[in-house]
Amino acid sequence: MLDTTALAELLFPHVTLTPADMEARFPVRELPEGAVVSRMAPSPTGFVHLGNLVQGLTSERMCHQSGGLLFLRVEDTDAKREVPGAVKTLIEGLKHYDINFDEGATIDGDAGNYGPYRQRQRVEIYHVYAKQLVLQGEAYPCFCTEEELADIHAKQEAEKANFGYFGKWAVWRDRSMEEIKEALDKGMPYVLRFRSTGSIENKIKFTDLIKGNLELTENDIDHVLLKSDGIPTYHFAHAVDDHLMRTTHVVRGDEWLPTLPFHLQLFRSLGFKPPKYLHIGPLMKMDGESKRKLSKRKDPELALTYYRAAGFPVQSVYEYLMTVLNSNFEDWRRANPDAPVDSFKFSHKKMNPAGSLFDEAKLRDVSKNVISRMSAERVYDEVVSFAKDYDEALYAHLTADPDYAKSILAIGRGGKKPRKDFAVWTDVKPYLDFFYDDWFTVTDAYPEQFRTADIKAALEGFKATFNEADDATVWFDKIKAVADSMGFASDMKAYKENPAAYGGSVADVSMFLRVAVTGRMNSPDMYSAMQILGKDRVFARIDAMLQKL
Ligand code: GLU
């Protein structure tokens, strides 16, 4: 029998602290019954994606709705994948989407009593538990070289055996103290492996809060716990950290489901109560007739940076993801158009276990609704902030006279049925450019069926009676009078019943004016537009058109 106490001392002579010391250092949190403690645990690769946001949003809602807390742990155990500045990018990216942490890694260091919150700074903590597992006979050093492991793999392939380090392939599992010492004396690098007692003949029953009841195959692999540099693998760090940081709910992508049986073994061996798990299905998109997972390589919309650059407001992306995550969100929004989004009761029970379909057209629809409910003031602030980074000319125009810009953005806003003109902030410039003289051009031509004499008569007739002080009704009555005077129908119903009796209708007269004043056939409410432009500019544009005709 291997003397595990001696082996533990041999491998971890520097470790003097015990699991009991760790329990004392990181006590159970004092929180109300039912409070969810969860975390985001991203790797600092420099790429923040929509999946991070989906996971973050789910955790954030569950924590903050239950009086619990959310923390950020940086999983930097894979130094090869780390990109400088990635932690900052990550924190800022998430903050931009209203994912705020109560504790954990911050840009200027750590905040909270359960840290450090960066895994590479927690090595001494992992080693306490690594030593404990060795002591219990549940972990052992493995000195296999890359070549030996490749050789095992090749043999497994030839024998059509399952891959991995297990059973007869686990060549260091039962070595003697002498053999281990000899390898150590030679200075051979080693990894620490878990001694699994599981069998693939057995199934475990497990309830995931999103996926429901599952039956999973037990783990029989002696997975690596510590790499040769003493840094833990994800699996080992997950068990140690989520226990000591007192995580109650782990929300993560379902790519981790296959290793869950191993994680549960680890929790048991370490004497920890496992957290509750929520495994989120992937984000997918339609590709022709079939669905596929969003891919970093093929789909720019997977990156969070895509949405800001495309001009989507944060709130639109947020509400869209809510729509995707909770099947009842849209109905709630319809019933509560003006309620703050955080008054929606998010529930993980409404999440689709199979994952969610990402649909940019739907995002645009949601965004139109979201923007239509914003005040002119808010739209102004958002557009200015967008334009500052992405459209210098727009930024300069809007900030030159903020009140003027706000009056434009207020058109059609605030009523029961607000206009839905914008899905993204890049829609703003083509909508309001005609309000700025240096941008104004006539882009639409009058349809050929109309006689120039009629167009001229309409423009001149309008000028003859226009009074800036008129309200919208009087203003339109005057346009109707112009229509009547030229043999155009002022009553649309009468016109539709007998179009041949008229040269056109009041709608056409309005269109003549619209093209002259706004340069195009589709533009915001013309009465409001004329009020904002003022009589002098309206007349100047009409005169310029009369000259051209
Ligand atoms: N670092 C892991 C990842 O980025 C975290 C998974 C988890 O939340 O436990 O996938």
Side-chain angles (χ1 to χ4, degrees):
M1 263 303 273
L2 187 74
D3 180 349
T4 54
T5 312
L7 181 58
E9 279 312 318
L10 185 66
L11 298 177
F12 299 100
H14 54 284
V15 175
T16 51
L17 294 169
T18 64
D21 295 320
M22 295 296 113
E23 291 296 319
R25 187 157 135 199
F26 304 110
V28 173
R29 294 173 188 270
E30 283 180 31
L31 287 168
E33 182 74 21
V36 172
V37 176
S38 191
R39 80 298 190 274
M40 279 193 78
S43 302
T45 58
F47 182 67
V48 194
H49 56 82
L50 210 53
N52 293 126
L53 195 54
V54 164
Q55 187 258 315
L57 222 121
T58 306
S59 311
E60 192 278 338
R61 286 293 75 203
M62 291 182 71
C63 293
H64 292 151
Q65 276 181 182
S66 66
L69 60 90
L70 178 71
F71 64 87
L72 175 66
R73 179 171 72 227
V74 175
E75 306 222 317
D76 55 2
T77 55
D78 191 352
K80 283 197 294 292
R81 290 175 66 207
E82 186 159 352
V83 171
V87 174
K88 189 161 177 273
T89 310
L90 185 70
I91 293 173
E92 284 172 349
L94 295 170
K95 193 180 165 68
H96 187 68
Y97 285 95
D98 259 353
I99 310 279
N100 291 304
F101 297 99
D102 304 289
E103 67 178 51
T106 74
I107 291 172
D108 324 305
D110 283 355
N113 297 328
Y114 290 79
Y117 296 91
R118 291 163 219 249
Q119 290 183 326
R120 279 223 296 277
Q121 295 173 18
R122 298 174 60 78
V123 170
E124 74 163 337
I125 299 174
Y126 304 122
H127 285 196
V128 169
Y129 290 97
K131 184 171 189 177
Q132 176 69 19
L133 288 179
V134 173
L135 201 67
Q136 290 169 201
E138 296 192 76
Y140 65 91
C142 161
F143 294 85
C144 279
T145 61
E146 291 287 331
E147 294 71 44
E148 284 168 322
L149 291 175
D151 193 43
I152 291 173
H153 191 90
K155 286 192 178 127
Q156 286 172 332
E157 190 154 36
E159 279 186 29
K160 295 201 168 37
N162 288 336
F163 292 126
Y165 198 88
F166 68 100
K168 68 171 180 180
W169 310 104
V171 291
W172 278 91
R173 187 173 157 112
D174 294 308
R175 297 291 181 105
S176 66
M177 194 66 155
E178 288 62 46
E179 286 172 295
I180 294 172
K181 270 192 181 143
E182 196 187 310
L184 284 175
D185 288 343
K186 279 197 217 149
M188 286 166 66
Y190 71 89
V191 298
L192 192 75
R193 287 188 183 270
F194 182 63
R195 187 190 299 275
S196 176
T197 52
S199 157
I200 56 165
E201 304 299 318
N202 301 335
K203 297 272 182 214
I204 55 166
K205 284 196 186 338
F206 172 78
T207 304
D208 182 271
L209 294 190
I210 295 176
K211 303 263 179 195
N213 293 334
L214 301 171
E215 264 202 3
L216 300 167
T217 304
E218 253 182 28
N219 167 54
D220 66 343
I221 310 270
D222 287 1
H223 285 294
V224 174
L225 302 174
L226 295 180
K227 296 179 267 187
S228 58
D229 54 3
I231 301 284
T233 54
Y234 164 77
H235 318 287
F236 188 45
H238 155 51
V240 171
D241 290 348
D242 281 316
H243 171 70
L244 291 180
M245 294 176 176
R246 308 297 174 179
T247 303
T248 62
H249 291 64
V250 166
V251 182
R252 63 184 182 186
D254 67 359
E255 67 273 17
W256 294 109
L257 215 43
T259 36
L260 179 70
F262 171 43
H263 301 157
L264 295 174
Q265 279 179 312
L266 273 176
F267 274 88
R268 196 171 53 234
S269 295
L270 291 163
F272 303 155
K273 178 173 176 256
K276 296 204 162 51
Y277 283 95
L278 294 88
H279 286 96
I280 302 188
L283 280 172
M284 291 169 291
K285 76 185 268 186
M286 291 309 290
D287 194 352
E289 293 292 287
S290 55
K291 284 184 198 171
R292 65 164 172 81
K293 277 191 198 183
L294 281 180
S295 115
K296 184 172 169 179
R297 200 167 45 81
K298 290 192 220 156
D299 306 309
E301 68 270 33
L302 188 58
L304 270 201
T305 45
Y306 171 84
Y307 298 91
R308 178 155 161 74
F312 283 105
V314 164
Q315 203 190 330
S316 299
V317 177
Y318 192 100
E319 294 216 4
Y320 171 67
L321 289 182
M322 279 290 172
T323 307
V324 166
L325 289 179
N326 266 206
S327 42
N328 55 331
F329 179 78
E330 264 187 295
D331 287 341
W332 175 85
R333 185 39 101 198
R334 260 191 291 275
N336 305 277
D338 299 314
V341 68
D342 60 3
S343 62
F344 171 70
K345 181 110 188 60
F346 181 89
S347 168
H348 62 268
K349 296 195 181 109
K350 302 274 187 214
M351 291 173 78
N352 185 344
S356 326
L357 196 61
F358 175 85
D359 174 2
E360 191 158 337
K362 178 81 191 172
L363 165 62
R364 292 179 64 86
D365 277 352
V366 169
S367 190
K368 281 189 176 170
N369 284 317
V370 165
I371 296 176
S372 77
R373 293 191 304 267
M374 290 180 180
S375 66
E377 194 80 26
R378 167 89 184 269
V379 171
Y380 177 80
D381 290 345
E382 294 244 1
V383 182
V384 164
S385 136
F386 168 78
K388 191 167 191 214
D389 292 340
Y390 297 99
D391 189 339
E392 247 175 72
L394 182 62
Y395 180 78
H397 280 71
L398 295 181
T399 53
D401 185 348
D403 288 338
Y404 182 70
K406 283 179 205 170
S407 65
I408 299 167
L409 294 168
I411 299 176
R413 212 159 273 288
K416 273 236 164 324
K417 276 210 154 58
R419 288 188 59 119
K420 296 178 183 172
D421 294 303
F422 310 138
V424 283
W425 298 132
T426 48
D427 293 338
V428 171
K429 185 154 131 193
Y431 169 91
L432 55 57
D433 54 2
F434 72 87
F435 282 100
Y436 294 90
D437 291 332
D438 59 333
W439 274 345
F440 170 70
T441 55
V442 177
T443 51
D444 288 350
Y446 290 122
E448 277 175 13
Q449 84 226 42
F450 296 104
R451 291 173 23 209
T452 306
D454 280 338
I455 300 170
K456 280 189 166 166
L459 298 182
E460 272 157 3
F462 173 81
K463 271 186 74 187
T465 58
F466 175 74
N467 179 346
E468 226 177 334
D470 289 342
D471 67 18
T473 314
V474 175
W475 171 84
F476 193 55
D477 283 345
K478 287 182 172 175
I479 296 177
K480 282 187 189 161
V482 171
D484 285 332
S485 72
M486 10 180 317
F488 278 46
S490 60
D491 175 15
M492 288 309 285
K493 209 166 141 242
Y495 177 66
K496 277 188 190 126
E497 273 161 20
N498 190 9
Y502 305 94
S505 75
V506 65
D508 300 319
V509 174
S510 297
M511 182 265 288
F512 299 159
L513 285 166
R514 191 178 284 278
V515 171
V517 173
T518 72
R520 53 195 195 228
M521 297 205 191
N522 278 316
S523 47
D525 175 60
M526 197 170 36
Y527 173 76
S528 310
M530 287 187 176
Q531 290 286 311
I532 293 169
L533 286 165
K535 182 178 170 190
D536 290 351
R537 286 155 83 204
V538 170
F539 277 25
R541 290 181 184 189
I542 291 176
D543 288 342
M545 182 56 89
L546 284 167
Q547 292 271 305
K548 273 201 289 184
L549 286 171

